[in-house]
Amino acid sequence: MRQKRSKTYRKLMALYSMTFGFRQPYQVLIDSEMCKLATDTNIELVKQIGAILHGEIKPMITQCCIHELYLQGKSRQNAVDLAKTFERRKCNHKEPIPGDECLKSVVGDANKHRYVIACQSQPLRSKLRNIPAVPLVHINRSVMVLEPASDMTLASKRKSEEQSLHPTAPDIALVGPSSLDPPPKKRKGPKGPNPLSVKKKKVDNPTKGKNSSGRTHDDPRTLTERKRKRNNDEDDAEDVEPRSVIHPTRKRKRRRKVEGLHVDKDCT
Ligand SMILES: [Zn+2]
């Protein structure tokens, strides 16, 4: 039984830490009644609470709660001494109010400071069950008990899980730009190649084209014309030189051959 309880408590504290951000040392607000019960039954309060929460704890008491113990007089001196070892939590109540109301106000609507409430007051615990993520500890027959997660806590857990699965509008807005970034890159891609392909077309078809093509047409025309002129000049120069050199030799050879043949024929 003990192992089973320990396992359930460990799972429960894992829920509080994973879903609601509870961290060690857990801040445990202890009320005056629990201090009295602990001293009466000789329970090692801090050690027991640390055992069921499966971690280090920081025991705390509000000003109003310790004031309640002071009012008990010397008969409760042991409880006062125990409470004095706890860290004092300033509740900013100028005139002390009942401990239950003080703890309720300190927890607030959402338990922002992530307190664990260790109290014996049944009405206070029933009120705190309506606030999500408030771990409740009490002593039952000298056994420290950590209450199972309340319905509000479980509902809040489901909400946070749904939010993580289905991101809200701001989350989508944050994620959106990253998903929208790739498309513009793809759009930029095609724009790049198009001008390159257009330039090639300009060279092929100089007559038809846009403003950009007209600019490019002028350049190729001049380049081609220059090239053509250069080629023509070179061709002319080559034509002139080889003709003067090659033709005479060929003509002379042919003439010599012809003359030789004629001579041979004549000789025979
Ligand atoms: Zn107070």
Side-chain angles (χ1 to χ4, degrees):
M1 284 295 289
R2 282 181 183 175
Q3 284 183 352
K4 199 175 180 180
R5 268 181 60 218
S6 176
K7 194 176 177 181
T8 55
Y9 290 162
R10 184 170 291 173
K11 280 184 178 179
L12 194 50
M13 290 315 294
L15 182 150
Y16 285 123
S17 60
M18 296 291 284
T19 308
F20 301 104
F22 280 70
R23 293 285 178 272
Q24 293 185 43
Y26 301 117
Q27 300 183 106
V28 184
L29 281 173
I30 300 164
D31 78 340
S32 57
E33 284 300 314
M34 185 165 277
C35 290
K36 283 189 258 178
L37 190 61
T39 51
D40 290 345
T41 56
N42 292 322
I43 288 175
E44 291 183 65
L45 196 59
V46 176
K47 191 179 174 181
Q48 290 284 325
I49 294 172
I52 64 163
L53 296 185
H54 289 277
E56 292 179 16
I57 70 159
K58 187 197 283 182
M60 303 174 85
I61 191 162
T62 66
Q63 292 171 322
C64 299
C65 285
I66 204 165
H67 183 77
E68 279 184 340
L69 288 174
Y70 287 138
L71 292 176
Q72 302 287 322
K74 289 183 180 178
S75 63
R76 292 294 180 182
Q77 191 58 43
N78 291 336
V80 171
D81 292 340
L82 176 66
K84 279 182 177 177
T85 63
F86 303 160
E87 185 173 312
R88 204 73 55 87
R89 206 284 186 186
K90 289 180 182 177
C91 55
N92 296 325
H93 297 128
K94 291 178 182 176
E95 291 183 5
I97 59 173
D100 287 12
E101 291 178 24
C102 181
L103 286 173
K104 182 79 172 60
S105 71
V106 167
V107 170
D109 296 330
N111 196 15
K112 285 179 184 178
H113 300 285
R114 299 184 182 89
Y115 290 121
V116 178
I117 304 299
C119 69
Q120 291 300 107
S121 168
Q122 188 64 39
L124 175 61
R125 276 186 278 144
S126 65
K127 284 178 186 173
L128 291 176
R129 284 186 201 111
N130 295 323
I131 297 164
V134 183
L136 295 171
V137 174
H138 70 276
I139 297 168
N140 184 20
R141 295 177 186 177
S142 74
V143 174
M144 198 69 72
V145 176
L146 174 62
E147 284 192 18
S150 66
D151 294 338
M152 281 297 295
T153 302
L154 293 173
S156 180
K157 183 201 169 193
R158 275 181 225 124
K159 266 189 184 179
S160 66
E161 284 174 352
E162 283 176 8
Q163 282 178 354
S164 63
L165 287 172
H166 307 287
T168 56
D171 292 337
I172 291 166
L174 289 171
V175 176
S178 64
S179 64
L180 290 172
D181 282 338
K185 286 177 183 175
K186 287 176 183 175
R187 288 172 189 172
K188 285 176 184 175
K191 283 178 183 175
N194 282 336
L196 289 170
S197 64
V198 169
K199 281 179 184 176
K200 289 175 184 175
K201 286 175 183 176
K202 289 164 195 171
V203 175
D204 293 338
N205 299 324
T207 56
K208 293 178 180 179
K210 297 172 184 177
N211 293 332
S212 61
S213 66
R215 290 175 187 173
T216 53
H217 285 316
D218 293 338
D219 294 339
R221 279 181 187 174
T222 54
L223 287 169
T224 51
E225 285 174 3
R226 286 174 187 172
K227 282 180 182 176
R228 284 174 186 172
K229 284 177 182 177
R230 285 177 188 173
N231 290 330
N232 290 332
D233 294 341
E234 289 174 0
D235 291 341
D236 292 340
E238 286 175 357
D239 290 342
V240 173
E241 288 176 356
R243 279 174 188 170
S244 61
V245 175
I246 293 165
H247 286 293
T249 57
R250 285 177 184 173
K251 285 176 182 177
R252 284 173 188 173
K253 285 176 182 176
R254 283 173 187 173
R255 283 174 188 174
R256 284 175 186 174
K257 285 177 182 177
V258 171
E259 287 175 359
L261 288 170
H262 286 296
V263 171
D264 292 338
K265 285 178 181 177
D266 292 337
C267 292
T268 55

